[in-house]
Amino acid sequence: MKISIGNDHAGPEYKKAIVDFLKQKGHEIVNHGTDTFDSVDYPDFGHPVAIDVATGKADFGVVICGSGNGINMTVNKHQGIRSALCWDKEIASLARQHNDANIISIPARFTSIQQAVEMVDTFLNTNFEGGRHATRVDKIACK
């Protein structure tokens, strides 16, 4: 599976742990994130992830910023993107099962690195249930 990842200055350590974990699982990574703690603007790293996922260059995306909110809002501006701000494995699972989320947004200042890795693992290994949820997901995009 190909995963696109982007982060701002709040997430370099999170990204490194997630990328290391995903590579061990055999996934290919497209890295759009910063590797430093120098202040940067999260949209500069979120938009490329959203474009990768929306165009099929990546199967899923992972975005990380301090609260998870700003980068989540950024990627959700793109048609075809359903990014979910997750703070535990259960939310990550439901985002896939019920919302067919294709990007997970992680709040680095409110989760541990271990939690983040577990959420990404859960997110990527949970299938969309379809059915009544598909009807709802079909109503999300503005037409």
Side-chain angles (χ1 to χ4, degrees), residues 56-109:
K57 183 177 176 187
D59 300 299
F60 290 100
V62 177
V63 293
I64 308 160
C65 76
S67 70
N69 279 312
I71 204 162
N72 190 52
M73 291 177 193
T74 298
V75 298
N76 272 320
K77 296 294 182 187
H78 292 260
Q79 284 296 321
I81 296 302
R82 291 172 306 282
S83 180
L85 173 57
C86 299
W87 54 92
D88 64 31
K89 292 187 309 186
E90 292 76 20
I91 297 296
S93 179
L94 287 170
R96 287 287 306 129
Q97 289 174 337
H98 293 185
N99 309 116
D100 198 18
N102 49 19
I103 296 179
I104 182 171
S105 182
I106 298 171
R109 294 191 179 117

Side-chain angles (χ1 to χ4, degrees), residues 18 20 35 45 53 56 83 86 90-91 122 131 138:
I18 291 166
D20 289 348
D35 294 320
F45 302 97
V53 175
S83 180
C86 299
E90 292 76 20
I91 297 296
T122 298
D138 288 344

